[in-house]
Amino acid sequence: MSPPVAPVGWSRWLVPPAALSVHLSIGQAYAWSVFKPPLESALGLSGTQSALPFQLGIVMLGLSAAFGGTLVERKGPRWAMTVALVCFSSGFLLSALGASLEQYWLIVLGYGFVGGIGLGIGYISPVSTLIKWFPDRPGMATGIAIMGFGGGALIASPWSARMLESFGSGSSGIALAFLVHGLSYAVFMLLGVLLVRVPRERQQAASGPGLTTGPQVSANQAVRTPQFWCLWIVLCMNVTAGIGILEKAAPMITDFFADTSTPVSVTAAAGFVALLSAANMAGRIGWSSTSDLIGRKNIYRVYLGAGALMYTLIALFGDSSKPLFVLCALVILSFYGGGFATIPAYLKDLFGTYQVGAIHGRLLTAWSTAGVLGPLIVNWIADRQEEAGRHGASLYGLSFVIMIGLLVVGFVANELVRPVAPRHHVPAPREAAHAERQQSEPA
């Protein structure tokens, strides 16, 4: 499948909706916490066990993005979106079978492994194309698309909750909900497959100034630079802090206020997940667009520094004020989403546009690590605290202290980022062509 080249007169503003159709679909992953309590009840799982499909999905997201990044660059966005559609929808169908048969390993295999590959390929599929269409506003362009991934749960969370109410929260109801998800998302993602285009060279030049100005670094060289690994730490720490709340959002807010005069209902907890999704989505377009004005390094100072402050407020006062808890969580999730949307532009600033999609794919291994680390910290500590007889907000105090420390580590790593040394640059067009032939080998 060759990349579809845009005809003369094609508007670049048609590309973000194509990306959004994929990202809004795969963003369902952020609504996984809605399925956790029903699965735990129907299949007798612990909180740590019920997090496994989500954790494996995020691991596979990073691994498939890293190993498939170069292939996505070479084959183009339509091929990548098609692969994402098949894997993501198939993952739901396998999960439906697993729930129906009460075989949890099939849910882990389907949603986590197969669906996770769809997450990774779908996530990076439009990034390089968007930067080529919008070289003048890379933060805004990637923010528009990646906003969809953060906003997917805004649709999926109440939709999933309503289906579980209608179909039942037993294994057969969960299976039917998974089936509806898989079929519906296949149709929606197909819209992006049909609509996406790559720009002609003239259209790239007309889209804005400076597409190939500045340093140009290949993906193989980028991973040899300290800048890449500093950004890897930055992304990993920021994601760990956000995903720790997001993966356990519904049961967390229920636990926090279970012993108060105003406990949180199941419906309200699902609404909280939807609010977090809205903050995640808004942060992706709002903060990433702000980074075009104040710079990537400055915006990450905000994400990491202010994020540590928000966690401190929740740890100290969150259980005494529901508005404070919700507000701080929303800010943290806006930083979480903003970090994802800003990182492709940060990479473009440091390494150029030459192979930014492949570099981005490699960097997403930080997300894989965080996808295990964040839920593991929160769920494992909560399970241990519960076994010790604790309850309510005390289940999460130690987790939040750890998150504060991780954000401080990320802040320091961001301060260490410097321009890439010239020895790593692709030297000239002829050498760049040679490097591209080498890079076309499977990553």
Side-chain angles (χ1 to χ4, degrees), residues 88 146 199 355 389:
F88 188 65
I146 294 175
Q355 290 183 333

Side-chain angles (χ1 to χ4, degrees), residues 340-416:
F340 277 122
T342 309
I343 204 69
Y346 209 162
L347 292 172
K348 179 257 184 187
D349 293 346
L350 290 170
F351 302 109
T353 59
Y354 173 49
Q355 290 183 333
V356 67
I359 297 170
H360 184 223
R362 285 160 171 78
L363 192 76
L364 289 181
T365 54
W367 193 356
S368 293
T369 304
V372 173
L373 193 60
L376 182 63
I377 290 171
V378 174
N379 284 290
W380 187 84
I381 291 177
D383 287 346
R384 300 292 80 76
Q385 298 285 56
E386 190 172 12
E387 289 173 2
R390 296 183 177 87
H391 52 84
S394 61
L395 297 175
Y396 304 99
L398 179 58
S399 301
F400 290 171
V401 171
I402 293 173
M403 296 302 180
I404 293 167
L406 294 178
L407 286 168
V408 171
V409 171
F411 189 93
V412 172
N414 183 54
E415 294 302 306
L416 296 176

Side-chain angles (χ1 to χ4, degrees), residues 37-205:
L39 282 170
E40 290 168 15
S41 176
L43 302 181
L45 306 173
S46 68
T48 302
Q49 290 173 323
S50 68
L52 184 57
F54 176 82
Q55 288 177 291
L56 181 58
I58 299 301
V59 169
M60 294 309 301
L61 185 158
L63 293 178
S64 61
F67 287 99
T70 304
L71 196 60
V72 170
E73 286 275 283
R74 188 168 75 246
K75 290 185 173 291
R78 176 168 287 178
W79 175 87
M81 289 179 178
T82 301
V83 171
L85 184 160
V86 172
C87 290
F88 188 65
S89 295
S90 297
F92 267 114
L93 299 182
L94 275 172
S95 297
L97 179 62
S100 178
L101 298 176
E102 297 188 1
Q103 295 294 316
Y104 188 57
W105 68 271
L106 269 176
I107 299 176
V108 175
L109 174 66
Y111 191 92
F113 185 81
V114 178
I117 294 173
L119 289 178
I121 300 300
Y123 189 86
I124 64 173
S125 60
V127 169
S128 179
T129 302
L130 284 165
I131 289 178
K132 289 173 182 176
W133 276 109
F134 295 88
D136 50 331
R137 287 179 281 181
M140 180 213 69
T142 55
I144 289 174
I146 294 175
M147 171 184 69
F149 193 87
L154 188 62
I155 300 169
S157 180
W159 184 37
S160 300
R162 183 62 62 86
M163 277 195 286
L164 290 171
E165 289 177 5
S166 300
F167 303 151
S169 57
S171 57
S172 60
I174 296 170
L176 189 53
F178 283 154
L179 177 63
V180 173
H181 276 75
L183 297 177
S184 299
Y185 285 133
V187 173
F188 195 57
M189 293 171 76
L190 184 62
L191 298 176
V193 172
L194 298 176
L195 187 61
V196 72
R197 299 288 188 278
V198 296
R200 296 172 181 269
E201 291 184 8
R202 290 181 181 178
Q203 288 171 315
Q204 290 182 18

Side-chain angles (χ1 to χ4, degrees), residues 246-416:
L246 192 58
E247 187 275 337
K248 201 174 173 66
M252 181 183 290
I253 193 170
T254 302
D255 290 337
F256 247 80
F257 300 98
D259 299 330
T260 68
S261 59
T262 55
V264 177
S265 67
V266 173
T267 302
F272 175 62
V273 175
L275 279 177
L276 291 181
S277 178
N280 188 351
M281 181 174 63
R284 289 172 188 244
I285 182 61
W287 293 121
S288 62
S289 297
T290 303
S291 78
D292 286 334
L293 302 176
I294 70 173
R296 322 302 171 194
K297 192 168 188 174
N298 285 333
I299 202 68
Y300 272 95
R301 285 169 173 153
V302 174
Y303 298 156
L304 299 160
L309 176 61
M310 294 298 106
Y311 257 114
T312 302
L313 290 174
I314 291 178
L316 294 176
F317 310 111
D319 59 340
S320 61
S321 173
K322 195 177 296 182
L324 177 67
F325 177 90
V326 172
L327 178 62
C328 290
L330 292 176
V331 173
I332 290 170
L333 264 294
S334 77
F335 292 158
Y336 170 82
F340 277 122
T342 309
I343 204 69
Y346 209 162
L347 292 172
K348 179 257 184 187
D349 293 346
L350 290 170
F351 302 109
T353 59
Y354 173 49
Q355 290 183 333
V356 67
I359 297 170
H360 184 223
R362 285 160 171 78
L363 192 76
L364 289 181
T365 54
W367 193 356
S368 293
T369 304
V372 173
L373 193 60
L376 182 63
I377 290 171
V378 174
N379 284 290
W380 187 84
I381 291 177
D383 287 346
R384 300 292 80 76
Q385 298 285 56
E386 190 172 12
E387 289 173 2
R390 296 183 177 87
H391 52 84
S394 61
L395 297 175
Y396 304 99
L398 179 58
S399 301
F400 290 171
V401 171
I402 293 173
M403 296 302 180
I404 293 167
L406 294 178
L407 286 168
V408 171
V409 171
F411 189 93
V412 172
N414 183 54
E415 294 302 306
L416 296 176

